[in-house]
Amino acid sequence: MAFRPSLRRHSKEPNTELNLNPLLDVMTVLIPLLLANSQFAKIGVIELNLPPAAGAANIAQGVSGLPKETSRHLDLVVTITDKGFYIASAVTAPEEMPGGGPAIPVNTNGEYDLPGLSQKLFEIKQKAGTNFADPEAVVIQAEPSISYQILVSTMDAARGLRIDGKTVTLFPNVALSAGIL
Amino acid sequence: MAFIPSRIKKHKTAMPEATLNLTSMLDTFTVLLIFLLQMYSTDGQLISPSEYLTLPNSNVEQPPEVGLDVVVSKNMILVNNEKVVIMDDVTANNAAIMEHGIIKPLKERLQYYSSQAKKMETDYGVKFSGKVVIQGDKDLPYFELVKVMRTCGLGGYPNMRLAVYRPE
């Protein structure tokens, strides 16, 4: 029998490759666009509440619309000093460590005990319940040399507390206070 | 005569079709695209952090808002990216610019902006909210921050916001 070359050699394979060029074109446009528009550092803002001015409207009415005589105020004040946090409110006696120290002193290595502050404020929140006209307000004051980061961290600690994966709102309405210059 | 194959033709191999293999590049692009789309926020950049300072970190959830930019860096105070005063003068309570804890040049600048904004409100109905976004360096002492805030209040901007970083 004469030699017959294989037929396979002659069958031309069709070009099965996908044409990816249009996809690539879209990508090259989209990626620079998104890169230019994206912000990698997320920025937020902390809203500050000015202490209410002692104007006529405030004297006539409390925060909740009740006459001022019948509405009680919690008047929570957190004071940041270089020794720690002092806390004062209507439901707590001005708490101090024996020997006149702050309610929540700094750690032995000089760091502020922010979880301790949150915990303490949580206790105050529970003690206060709904008996007060300003259940979410806190006034923060600080010594002149306290750094901005510590102030912001204190606001964070006063704003909420995470317990078992849930966030408990404490005192998000922050006002800052300072002595009269 | 026997057939002699051409020497030239014999060695001329067929030119292979030159195609780049783009698949791997496309894979990279797809991953990048998904990552960038996930990062993308429709808010746009309302606050552009200043290059002169490091904002403090916070776990606040509130998204940024539009307002007048007041930058308090280590060296100077800027309003809308224009230098107003040197920080050393503020810290030292230099009598030329300070008066009862008020930074006079800053107050004048803020009053200029608030009067412009109020004029816009009466002329074109653009609401003036008195919002100001304070970007302070994380090491800024509280005393200096209070001076700036007091000045903002007197300059016609009582609605203050503090800009912070939100690390994931």
Side-chain angles (χ1 to χ4, degrees):
Chain A
M1 194 178 173
F3 171 73
R4 194 172 65 95
S6 161
L7 279 174
R8 199 185 291 170
R9 206 172 127 199
H10 297 285
S11 69
K12 261 197 179 167
E13 251 181 57
N15 191 8
T16 50
E17 248 179 72
L18 273 176
N19 188 6
L20 296 174
N21 290 356
L23 192 58
L24 209 66
D25 290 353
V26 175
M27 293 278 193
T28 37
V29 172
L30 267 180
I31 285 176
L33 189 93
L34 287 171
L35 260 179
N37 272 327
S38 58
Q39 35 182 331
F40 295 100
K42 286 235 166 102
I43 288 188
V45 290
I46 299 176
E47 198 172 332
L48 292 178
N49 299 296
L50 295 182
N58 283 296
I59 289 167
Q61 285 194 322
V63 177
S64 60
L66 296 168
K68 198 166 189 180
E69 288 76 18
T70 58
S71 68
R72 295 161 65 205
H73 287 255
L74 184 59
D75 288 334
L76 179 65
V77 178
V78 176
T79 308
I80 314 169
T81 70
D82 54 353
K83 295 191 186 69
F85 299 109
Y86 290 84
I87 299 170
S89 74
V91 293
T92 49
E95 280 186 61
E96 285 185 358
M97 295 287 285
I104 296 163
V106 290
N107 295 341
T108 42
N109 50 3
E111 281 173 11
Y112 284 86
D113 184 12
L114 295 165
L117 177 69
S118 285
Q119 196 58 44
K120 187 80 203 166
L121 291 176
F122 180 61
E123 284 164 24
I124 291 174
K125 179 95 179 174
Q126 283 186 324
K127 218 185 272 182
T130 52
N131 301 328
F132 295 95
D134 52 350
E136 294 198 325
V138 59
V139 174
I140 294 180
Q141 52 188 10
E143 281 188 338
S145 58
I146 297 299
S147 85
Y148 188 34
Q149 175 68 65
I150 293 165
L151 180 72
V152 169
S153 302
T154 308
M155 288 181 191
D156 287 348
R159 189 180 309 113
L161 175 64
R162 285 189 77 81
I163 303 171
D164 306 330
K166 280 186 292 181
T167 307
V168 180
T169 307
L170 294 174
F171 301 97
N173 292 344
V174 174
L176 293 182
S177 151
I180 307 295
L181 299 176
Chain B
M1 191 180 169
F3 171 70
I4 305 167
S6 155
R7 271 190 204 157
I8 302 164
K9 274 186 188 167
K10 191 181 169 189
H11 297 287
K12 202 168 133 190
T13 47
M15 187 73 91
E17 205 184 324
T19 49
L20 273 176
N21 189 4
L22 295 174
T23 320
S24 43
M25 187 172 166
L26 212 63
D27 291 352
T28 322
F29 274 11
T30 319
V31 172
L32 256 178
L33 189 73
I34 290 167
F35 170 72
L36 287 172
L37 273 175
Q38 187 242 327
M39 292 278 297
Y40 191 74
S41 75
T42 46
D43 302 343
Q45 199 136 4
L46 299 178
I47 298 176
S48 45
S50 178
E51 56 196 298
Y52 308 109
L53 52 82
T54 319
L55 292 175
N57 294 330
S58 166
N59 59 10
V60 71
E61 306 270 304
Q62 202 172 350
E65 293 170 52
V66 189
L68 186 71
D69 264 337
V70 174
V71 173
V72 189
S73 76
K74 285 191 179 100
N75 308 319
M76 52 191 159
I77 297 179
L78 302 100
V79 177
N80 266 357
N81 284 323
E82 288 168 40
K83 189 178 133 195
V84 180
V85 278
I86 304 283
M87 209 57 211
D88 286 346
D89 289 342
V90 178
T91 320
N93 266 326
N94 189 337
I97 62 149
M98 297 295 293
E99 187 183 16
H100 304 299
I102 312 280
I103 308 157
K104 278 191 281 182
L106 178 62
K107 185 181 161 194
E108 280 156 25
R109 186 66 65 92
L110 289 171
Q111 278 173 338
Y112 168 75
Y113 278 114
S114 62
S115 65
Q116 291 287 314
K118 276 173 191 151
K119 196 158 165 279
M120 285 278 280
E121 189 174 17
T122 49
D123 289 0
Y124 307 108
V126 183
K127 200 100 183 79
F128 175 59
S129 57
K131 260 186 212 162
V132 61
V133 178
I134 300 172
Q135 298 181 40
D137 188 84
K138 67 183 172 63
D139 296 323
L140 184 75
Y142 183 68
F143 195 48
E144 314 308 326
L145 180 72
V146 166
K147 282 180 195 169
V148 172
M149 287 175 63
R150 185 188 295 262
T151 311
C152 285
L154 285 167
Y157 285 91
N159 276 330
M160 289 168 225
R161 306 281 189 273
L162 301 177
V164 287
Y165 275 133
R166 286 188 295 170
E168 300 302 311

